[in-house]
Amino acid sequence: MNKTNDKQFLVLKNVTKAFGKAVVIDDLNLEIERGTMTTLLGPSGCGKTTILRLVAGLETPTSGQIFIDGEDVTKSSIQTRDICIVFQSYALFPHMSIADNVGYGLKMLNVPKEERQQRVEEALELVDLAGFGPRYVDQISGGQQQRVALARALVLKPKVLLFDEPLSNLDANLRRSMRESIRELQQRLGITSLYVTHDQTEAFAVSDQVIVMHKGKIMQKGTAKELYLRPNSLFLANFMGESSMFKAYLNGNVVSVNGYDITLDDTTQFNLPDGECLVCVRPEAVSLKAEGTEAQKCQIKTAIYMGNHWEVVALWHGEELLINLSPEDFEESISETYLHFSQTGLCLLPRE
């Protein structure tokens, strides 16, 4: 591999990891471009944390190779890989000041005290904790503790920054602000980063590329928009947010669902032959109107006001359909109405 010209900075090549007879990662190939943030997303047990540990050097592949900046690090120790990990648990030392926590790694590397202090101050400023150096862990909030853990990693200026579900211990508001901070810092500093989470919203918020995993394999990779609007399998469609599934029939650019014919501008993106298929309908792809065909008629089963939208469940030809509607687009008194599908939010899948 060419160290100076190769755009792919972190590469896993034909990596397999087995624990005894149990294969956790199966012949996986992964490429992450220099200066980007890639997130491994998937349910518990899908192998995403194992990949993180393989990149970190905490586990050794059963077979395959791992490259960082063109260098084969497959058998290198964690100490020689020039990576840092931000953990879910923060892993801070309660008996040390915030400054000493952040500078601990520099001290282990025998960085001179004056330089160490300067770099610690710079790192704390990066995470909006300037002046917090003299405090101790029990004197700051959970969100601030996570910022300290981030500063401790950034101060070492690693080639690769790894995030192991770093926001799981924070409440919803703190998670939102921290993911914004992580994304802004990663982009500003240009650190190649690998992020692990089971939270779809978190993955979408921080990533240049999201990789969805299942049973040790990569199911699909792309931007958040690509994965949400164009899932390539039933698993992906169900995993990536709410959806309703219906049996359908494709004929040219017309898909027929329960006798309701929808003309699509472009069906080539779904790469399906004419015939039986499934249509995945996102909640925001449905509107309700006073008029329509008999095939479009539906009944409102439940309607829950969620503040910024109504969450409606409609019965359509005996099947339930989830719909999200803005407050101005729904009348609570409606019991029978007609549904209309938007092309945005519809996806065709093979019948499985």
Side-chain angles (χ1 to χ4, degrees), residues 10 32 38 40 51-52 55 161-163 192-196:
L10 172 60
I32 298 176
T38 292
L40 300 177
I51 292 175
L52 194 83
V55 172
L161 188 55
L162 306 177
F163 294 89
T192 307
S193 303
L194 183 62
Y195 196 105
V196 164

Side-chain angles (χ1 to χ4, degrees), residues 220 225-226 228-233 250 252-253 263-273 342-350:
Q220 189 174 349
K225 186 176 181 180
E226 289 166 348
Y228 184 76
L229 294 179
R230 297 291 176 261
N232 65 4
S233 66
L250 179 63
N253 65 335
T263 301
L264 303 176
D265 293 335
D266 177 22
T267 58
T268 59
Q269 58 191 309
F270 302 116
N271 195 29
L272 289 178
S342 163
Q343 291 193 44
T344 302
L346 289 188
C347 178
L348 303 186
L349 298 168

Side-chain angles (χ1 to χ4, degrees), residues 230 260 262-264 279-287 289 339-347:
R230 297 291 176 261
Y260 173 25
I262 307 145
T263 301
L264 303 176
V279 61
C280 165
V281 184
R282 296 297 187 190
E284 64 275 13
V286 188
S287 59
K289 298 182 180 180
L339 56 81
H340 293 255
F341 289 165
S342 163
Q343 291 193 44
T344 302
L346 289 188
C347 178

Side-chain angles (χ1 to χ4, degrees), residues 174-292:
L174 279 175
R175 280 201 302 271
R176 185 179 299 108
S177 63
M178 272 304 301
R179 71 186 185 224
E180 290 171 358
S181 296
I182 287 172
R183 180 56 170 160
E184 190 275 330
L185 279 170
Q186 185 274 326
Q187 288 183 310
R188 178 160 32 123
L189 300 175
I191 299 177
T192 307
S193 303
L194 183 62
Y195 196 105
V196 164
T197 183
H198 63 274
D199 187 298
Q200 175 190 321
T201 302
E202 198 173 309
F204 283 5
V206 301
S207 310
D208 294 296
Q209 174 182 231
V210 179
I211 295 175
V212 182
M213 297 196 61
H214 185 50
K215 295 182 179 179
K217 290 182 175 292
I218 292 175
M219 301 299 292
Q220 189 174 349
K221 54 187 175 182
T223 64
K225 186 176 181 180
E226 289 166 348
L227 293 174
Y228 184 76
L229 294 179
R230 297 291 176 261
N232 65 4
S233 66
L234 186 58
F235 166 78
L236 258 295
N238 287 324
F239 183 74
M240 302 300 291
E242 299 278 4
S243 62
S244 302
M245 294 287 174
F246 299 96
K247 293 178 181 179
Y249 192 90
L250 179 63
N251 184 13
N253 65 335
V254 178
V255 61
S256 181
V257 192
N258 288 330
Y260 173 25
D261 291 341
I262 307 145
T263 301
L264 303 176
D265 293 335
D266 177 22
T267 58
T268 59
Q269 58 191 309
F270 302 116
N271 195 29
L272 289 178
D274 285 357
E276 294 183 343
C277 63
L278 292 175
V279 61
C280 165
V281 184
R282 296 297 187 190
E284 64 275 13
V286 188
S287 59
L288 299 178
K289 298 182 180 180
E291 296 180 353

